[in-house]
Amino acid sequence: MARQKFKRALNSRLSPFQKIYLLLVAGFIVGPFVPLLIQSFAFRWAWPDLLPGTWWLEQREKSLLPLAWDYVISPYSRVWEATLNTVFIGAVVTVICLLICLPTARVLAREEFKGKASFEFFLSMPLIVPEAAIGIALLMIFIKIGLAGSYLGIILVHLIPTIPYMIRMLTAVYQGLGRDFEEQAMILGASRWQILRLVTLPMLLPGVVAGALFTFLVSTNIFLLTFFLGQGKIITLPTLLFSKISGGTLDASAAGITLVVTIPGIILLLITERFIKEEAFGKGFGN
Amino acid sequence: MWIQLMPVLVVLSVLFGGALVLGVMQSLGFAPWFGVNTFPDFQYFGALWGDWFFWQSLGLTLYYALVSTFLSLVMGVLLALALVRYFPGKTFYKYLYKLPLMIPYTVGIALAVIMMGNSGMISRLMAFVGLIDDPSQFPQILKTHYGWGIIAVYVWKQTPFVALTVYAVLLGVGRETEEAAAILGANKWQIFFQVTFPQILPGIVSSTLIIFAFNIGAFEAPFILGGGFPDTLPVVAWRYFNDADYTLQLQGMATVVSIALIAGVILYSYLSFYRRYERRIGRH
């Protein structure tokens, strides 16, 4: 009796409610992609048909590729341009962010100093000040000094929301690292450079990779700051998709572009799931 | 030591701090490049706050932000609690639920359009079961001030964020305390509210802070899926900013500063409320 009650209170298997809930959430998250995929391969899909009236395959003598995909991979859609821009900006932002955050994270993880709490609060401010405020305020300044619509301007502005994440993840890494190994190397007579190259960096590497991936991810997902400060001159995947659907309708080519915009996310998901451990994420955000 | 802090400090102070300071100054009438310099001048705030539509916009902005934050919180915590259990296919599920985290909000908006639009899947399903026989009979979901589309997009994108944060905290604390409570005779509700909940609260607070701030300042979803006038505040600010009459840009700046102020007040009270709770239960 008591044993049964104990088991009920501390179950490590799913309850029936949880099973249904997990299925519903899965449906909510990936379900809408099904009609999107169908739409991109449809030739004609009129209301109220649940499936397209004419599939591309039946009309393939008229167009070699599905209509949507033919457009998506053509230069007219500007998908390639947007993809290259997204990857280029993301990569540069990640490198800069990593370089300026590493020393700071090291200090934050290891030293106590006056004003540390307020410094940490300042570092997380960009996460809680609405993006629209930053975007529009910076746009005024950037137009004035000629940075609006330039790669440099976009890269600079992407640093604002990525720094807080990078700092948190790297600080968690340094905290886990401890000073002991470096001290041992020092006692054994290693030079500072040797310590950095042979001890600190190898131990830091997994965390650095995780932080870099996460920063890249945040940068590639930014819409508002790119849209406001890119001034339509620099397009990335999120802003390209925005311009396709801003009318509130979704045709076959927009469906194709939506799927293309999803692909980098899926690739990043497959990589990050291996590198970013949930525990590390928790250390960064659990407090 | 300060040398090591300098790079981040300089970048954030100049870009972020500079934007904030200049934004506030412009909203108070400092724009010499337009030939406007009446600093300090509260007329832009006066004109904005004196207009009834501002308060309607504010109400809408807060409504979308609060409802979607609350729904994401509940759904995310439930998801995290299920994820710590063992079930077949868990490895795959952990990939699947994170997908929205990895892709831009605009993808979520496209999905909302194809599902909830007037000729979308829900409309087609209703026609299939015979409820309607023309797209115009479909009870409009998108582009209304109820904001179902906006809320759906936020919840779709943010439930995984809350779930991931809370799940990470749950993994960190382990199950020992819950086991101890169970041995002492607590039932599952007591275990959740008196043991688990206080442990995951820091994760809940930090993730809801982040998503609420985002929702208040978000632009793309209300712009595409919203019901038109009155728009949410970020959309209002954007319209002012793109107005042919450039003096309205200062009004737009006042709107932006108002958003930041309101978000600041709400988040500050939320945090101090939470800190008081932490002190009451004897942490910190």
Side-chain angles (χ1 to χ4, degrees):
Chain A
M1 172 61 198
R3 192 192 156 98
Q4 217 169 21
K5 200 178 144 204
F6 175 76
K7 266 187 145 170
R8 237 197 338 264
L10 200 74
N11 207 335
S12 59
R13 306 212 169 268
L14 292 176
S15 69
F17 166 77
Q18 284 179 314
K19 278 181 196 157
I20 297 168
Y21 182 72
L22 283 179
L23 285 177
L24 285 178
V25 169
F28 176 59
I29 287 175
V30 292
F33 281 101
V34 176
L36 200 66
L37 208 58
I38 296 176
Q39 169 79 289
S40 78
F41 283 102
F43 192 79
R44 196 182 122 74
W45 192 11
W47 195 89
D49 301 337
L50 285 178
L51 286 173
T54 318
W55 290 82
W56 150 73
L57 217 54
E58 302 164 41
Q59 296 287 333
R60 64 181 175 281
E61 68 277 3
K62 282 194 192 147
S63 72
L64 202 60
L65 279 168
L67 286 180
W69 293 102
D70 192 39
Y71 172 75
V72 168
I73 60 169
S74 77
Y76 302 109
S77 67
R78 302 180 78 188
V79 165
W80 291 112
E81 184 192 344
T83 310
L84 286 178
N85 276 344
T86 310
V87 172
F88 170 71
I89 292 169
V92 177
V93 168
T94 305
V95 172
I96 298 178
C97 197
L98 194 62
L99 288 179
I100 64 175
C101 288
L102 266 174
T104 306
R106 187 188 151 94
V107 171
L108 284 178
R110 293 186 171 173
E111 320 230 353
E112 292 300 326
F113 54 91
K114 218 176 157 215
K116 185 178 175 187
S118 27
F119 182 67
E120 281 178 317
F121 181 73
F122 176 66
L123 287 187
S124 50
M125 280 271 280
L127 290 180
I128 51 177
V129 174
E131 259 186 34
I134 309 293
I136 292 187
L138 273 180
L139 180 55
M140 282 265 198
I141 308 169
F142 276 26
I143 287 177
K144 187 87 178 58
I145 57 178
L147 276 177
S150 73
Y151 283 101
L152 180 62
I154 304 277
I155 289 167
L156 281 177
V157 80
H158 275 209
L159 287 175
I160 298 175
T162 48
I163 284 177
Y165 289 107
M166 184 68 110
I167 290 277
R168 279 161 176 246
M169 296 190 76
L170 290 181
T171 309
V173 175
Y174 267 115
Q175 274 163 350
L177 181 64
R179 231 183 269 215
D180 319 9
F181 293 98
E182 293 176 1
E183 276 167 7
Q184 281 183 20
M186 210 184 300
I187 291 166
L188 293 171
S191 70
R192 286 189 100 173
W193 171 240
Q194 281 176 317
I195 294 176
L196 183 71
R197 191 168 52 96
L198 298 170
V199 181
T200 316
L201 280 185
M203 293 186 70
L204 218 52
L205 200 60
V208 167
V209 172
L213 280 171
F214 200 76
T215 307
F216 186 74
L217 175 73
V218 172
S219 165
T220 54
N221 278 338
I222 291 175
F223 165 78
L224 190 139
L225 294 173
T226 317
F227 179 68
F228 282 11
L229 293 152
Q231 292 278 288
K233 293 193 192 99
I234 294 178
I235 55 162
T236 59
L237 288 174
T239 60
L240 175 72
L241 180 57
F242 177 84
S243 63
K244 295 289 171 202
I245 59 172
S246 59
T249 54
L250 192 91
D251 56 10
S253 60
I257 290 178
T258 312
L259 288 168
V260 172
V261 176
T262 310
I263 293 170
I266 295 177
I267 297 173
L268 279 173
L269 177 63
L270 296 176
I271 306 173
T272 48
E273 184 65 16
R274 295 185 53 186
F275 280 102
I276 303 185
K277 291 276 164 283
E278 265 103 3
E279 292 89 335
F281 191 84
K283 276 185 204 124
F285 292 93
N287 43 53
Chain B
M1 182 194 78
W2 283 102
I3 292 176
Q4 290 164 308
L5 300 182
M6 273 330 256
V8 167
L9 196 60
V10 168
V11 170
L12 273 192
S13 306
V14 171
L15 283 175
F16 176 74
L20 284 188
V21 171
L22 235 93
V24 172
M25 285 179 66
Q26 283 172 35
S27 68
L28 293 175
F30 176 79
W33 46 90
F34 296 146
V36 181
N37 189 357
T38 50
F39 184 84
D41 172 2
F42 291 88
Q43 75 170 70
Y44 301 102
F45 282 105
L48 188 69
W49 293 357
D51 202 337
W52 177 235
F53 96 89
F54 170 80
W55 301 101
Q56 284 178 309
S57 292
L58 175 62
L60 273 181
T61 314
L62 291 179
Y63 159 71
Y64 298 150
L66 279 174
V67 171
S68 40
T69 305
F70 178 75
L71 287 175
S72 308
L73 167 65
V74 174
M75 288 178 62
V77 170
L78 282 176
L79 185 56
L81 288 174
L83 282 172
V84 286
R85 306 253 171 124
Y86 298 101
F87 56 91
K90 183 169 167 176
T91 320
F92 175 69
Y93 199 93
K94 277 167 64 183
Y95 278 99
L96 182 145
Y97 92 94
K98 286 194 202 102
L99 182 63
L101 278 177
M102 307 286 159
I103 48 190
Y105 276 85
T106 33
V107 170
I109 298 170
L111 295 176
V113 170
I114 205 170
M115 292 306 289
M116 303 162 84
N118 273 10
S119 55
M121 289 315 286
I122 296 178
S123 159
R124 285 162 198 258
L125 280 172
M126 283 174 77
F128 182 71
V129 297
L131 280 171
I132 55 174
D133 40 38
D134 190 85
S136 62
Q137 291 172 341
F138 181 65
Q140 191 148 6
I141 308 180
L142 302 180
K143 294 181 182 277
T144 69
H145 285 122
Y146 291 111
W148 298 119
I150 301 168
I151 293 171
V153 172
Y154 290 166
V155 171
W156 178 81
K157 181 95 171 127
Q158 292 161 359
T159 296
F161 183 70
V162 176
L164 177 58
T165 314
V166 173
Y167 174 63
V169 178
L170 280 172
L171 284 185
V173 293
R175 299 210 72 192
E176 288 84 357
T177 45
E178 293 180 4
E179 278 163 16
I183 290 167
L184 293 170
N187 67 33
K188 63 178 181 183
W189 298 109
Q190 287 171 322
I191 292 181
F192 177 73
F193 283 107
Q194 291 171 20
V195 179
T196 317
F197 184 73
Q199 286 173 336
I200 60 176
L201 197 60
I204 288 179
V205 171
S206 73
S207 58
T208 46
L209 272 178
I210 291 173
I211 62 178
F212 181 77
F214 181 89
N215 292 348
I216 260 194
F219 167 80
E220 60 266 46
F223 184 85
I224 299 179
L225 304 172
F229 185 86
D231 285 303
T232 63
L233 287 178
V235 180
V236 170
W238 178 245
R239 293 205 198 285
Y240 274 136
F241 203 81
N242 281 332
D243 203 283
D245 178 4
Y246 65 77
T247 51
L248 278 180
Q249 291 195 359
L250 297 185
Q251 187 98 341
M253 207 52 97
T255 315
V256 161
V257 172
S258 306
I259 302 171
L261 273 179
I262 292 157
V265 169
I266 294 175
L267 294 176
Y268 181 80
S269 0
Y270 180 39
L271 257 183
S272 43
F273 188 71
Y274 165 65
R275 290 249 163 83
R276 199 174 307 156
Y277 170 83
E278 286 276 288
R279 265 198 298 275
R280 216 186 62 214
I281 65 168
R283 283 197 292 214
H284 298 296

